Amino acid sequence: MQTLAIETTCDETAACVLRDGRIISEAIFSQIALHRRYSGVVPELASRAHLEKINHVVRAALEGAGIKLPVGKRPPTGDTKPHGVPKKNKKIFDAVAFSRGPGLPGAILVGRVAAQTAARVFGAPLIGVNHLEGHLLACEFRKGRADARLKFPLAALIVSGGHTELWRAGGYGEYELLGRTRDDAAGEAFDKVARLLGLGYPGGPEVERLALKAGRKKPVFPRPFLDGGLDFSFSGLKTAVAYYLQDNPRPGPAAKAAVCAAFQEAVADTLAAKAALACRKSGLKYAAAGGGVSANSLLRERMAASCASEGASAVFSEKKYCADNAAMIALAAQRRLESGRRLKHRVEVDPDLKIESWGR
Ligand code: KG4
Ligand code: ZN
């Protein structure tokens, strides 16, 4: 089974060819340099950059897999009728997949148009994938193959720049939302705290790097546990850091490192505790974390420990696949094709797409 996938929901333009769970070829263009000066993703710039790079990225992924973009016969001038797919183009791909949400509307639209075009060119069905589901399934990749099958049922913690959610996953395509952030996403909190400290963008890796340099003396920030339920809230924590910096202005490198370490601990503890609580409440023996923030080593350590204390084992994606990529989208499409279940005709762009189970 061979799938071409396209990912453009935020600031990475990515394409991947996946064959039977093996990554044959990937291409990615990161817009980080473009957005760095604004300390965050500027939606309009993101869409434009996707538009500029998408053809190049898709072509590079195809060429990496030894697939030449098929050139059909040129229709006679003035003839606008569709000419169908040349026979030799068919059967190359079982599907062309793209992230249909959640994400930035203009950015997703670029991926959608490119995927639809590729689907036409190759005569393959178009599949719209939930980006967050991709982050969960990315946990299956080891050394370029999706060999590390997830064990179900599990508690899924999805922690990215725009989302922080906990689901119960009963199997592939069987999802139930258990909790979500009521305000900022965990990644957003990392980015905002980094900005308060004058660090670079994206903030998560910068905060993690600096936290390693912290000494033993550091402030203590609140762990926002809310009412003991499975929802999250990170805006209060971010405000606590802002107040701390008001009271302790112009921090030097050591003071900044201490703030980073204290903030990171508060986030890691909160996420880890909620993942463990989800295991306990739903009687789950497995947990998995995906999304950019799941690259954080302290979070991995704390979550593995908290889940173990509930008798559950936690898995994570390889760090490279925590961030946005097209391989996870290709894999989600592949798992869906294998299951024989599809959300028929769900290929429209949905910037607020919620997690949903696949149709029967
Ligand atoms: O999943 P992702 O690549 O894109 C979205 O779908 O949003 O996540 C990006 C987020 C950013 O907020 C970034 O600061 C955060 O993930 N992040 C991290 C780390 N690496 C990336 N947060 C904490 N620790 C990290 N090592
Ligand atoms: Zn993402």
Side-chain angles (χ1 to χ4, degrees):
M1 184 180 294
Q2 183 153 270
T3 315
L4 169 68
I6 292 174
E7 159 60 42
T8 59
T9 54
C10 191
D11 57 351
E12 317 281 353
T13 317
C16 172
V17 174
L18 187 80
R19 187 184 304 148
D20 298 329
R22 194 156 65 87
I23 297 170
I24 302 297
S25 161
E26 310 177 79
I28 187 158
F29 174 78
S30 171
Q31 302 178 3
I32 284 178
L34 179 69
H35 300 292
R36 188 170 278 139
R37 59 200 289 225
Y38 305 101
S39 300
V41 177
V42 182
E44 199 46 50
L45 292 183
S47 318
R48 216 176 300 164
H50 283 304
L51 203 52
E52 274 168 21
K53 297 293 176 190
I54 189 73
N55 282 349
H56 176 74
V57 166
V58 172
R59 197 178 283 269
L62 290 171
E63 282 174 7
I67 300 163
K68 283 215 178 76
L69 253 189
V71 186
K73 264 200 219 129
R74 262 179 91 162
T77 324
D79 181 358
T80 52
K81 279 204 304 274
H83 274 243
V85 180
K87 260 207 195 104
K88 66 178 168 48
N89 301 352
K90 288 191 179 173
K91 303 265 176 254
I92 294 179
F93 290 112
D94 294 271
V96 175
F98 75 106
S99 290
R100 75 178 187 96
L104 304 170
I108 308 172
L109 203 54
V110 175
R112 160 73 157 76
V113 171
Q116 190 177 23
T117 308
R120 285 262 172 90
V121 166
F122 290 107
L126 181 66
I127 295 188
V129 168
N130 187 308
H131 174 82
L132 302 179
E133 176 183 33
H135 274 309
L136 170 64
L137 297 190
C139 291
E140 295 198 340
F141 285 117
R142 293 291 175 273
K143 298 197 172 108
R145 301 185 71 106
D147 283 343
R149 288 274 188 155
L150 288 170
K151 295 190 177 119
F152 297 104
L154 59 80
L157 174 70
I158 305 302
V159 268
S160 69
H163 296 84
T164 297
E165 298 188 350
L166 259 172
W167 316 326
R168 180 190 185 279
Y172 295 113
E174 291 170 28
Y175 309 114
E176 180 197 338
L177 186 70
L178 299 176
R180 61 201 298 242
T181 183
R182 295 184 185 176
D183 39 58
D184 291 354
E188 196 178 350
F190 268 100
D191 295 337
K192 286 178 176 167
V193 164
R195 198 182 314 170
L196 288 172
L197 291 168
L199 307 177
Y201 175 84
E206 298 286 327
V207 169
E208 178 165 27
R209 206 168 11 249
L210 204 53
L212 289 174
K213 298 185 179 153
R216 289 180 53 184
K217 206 168 156 275
K218 47 185 177 266
V220 177
F221 294 124
R223 270 77 175 144
F225 284 116
L226 297 177
D227 49 6
L230 291 172
D231 276 354
F232 304 86
S233 165
F234 289 106
S235 73
L237 173 58
K238 175 198 65 192
T239 308
V241 175
Y243 281 143
Y244 178 84
L245 291 172
Q246 262 178 28
D247 295 342
N248 302 272
R250 289 182 292 283
K256 281 188 183 180
V259 170
C260 286
F263 165 77
Q264 181 178 253
E265 271 178 24
V267 177
D269 280 351
T270 306
L271 294 172
K274 298 272 178 179
L277 186 60
C279 291
R280 187 192 319 155
K281 280 191 165 178
S282 303
L284 301 169
K285 295 284 160 237
Y286 302 101
V293 182
S294 72
N296 188 280
S297 297
L298 187 74
L299 169 62
R300 289 168 175 240
E301 204 180 282
R302 300 266 160 109
M303 183 169 151
S306 67
C307 289
S309 71
E310 294 296 336
S313 57
V315 295
F316 306 91
S317 359
E318 284 178 345
K319 290 205 173 177
K320 178 180 173 197
Y321 291 105
C322 291
D324 290 350
N325 62 85
M328 67 186 196
I329 304 305
L331 183 60
Q334 188 187 309
R335 292 283 178 258
R336 197 182 297 179
L337 287 172
E338 286 165 358
S339 77
R341 291 185 292 160
R342 284 210 229 152
L343 288 169
K344 276 213 174 108
H345 307 304
R346 294 283 176 87
V347 291
E348 68 278 16
V349 167
D350 185 349
D352 298 316
L353 186 62
K354 306 282 181 288
I355 193 62
E356 55 187 350
S357 295
W358 302 342
R360 297 257 159 212

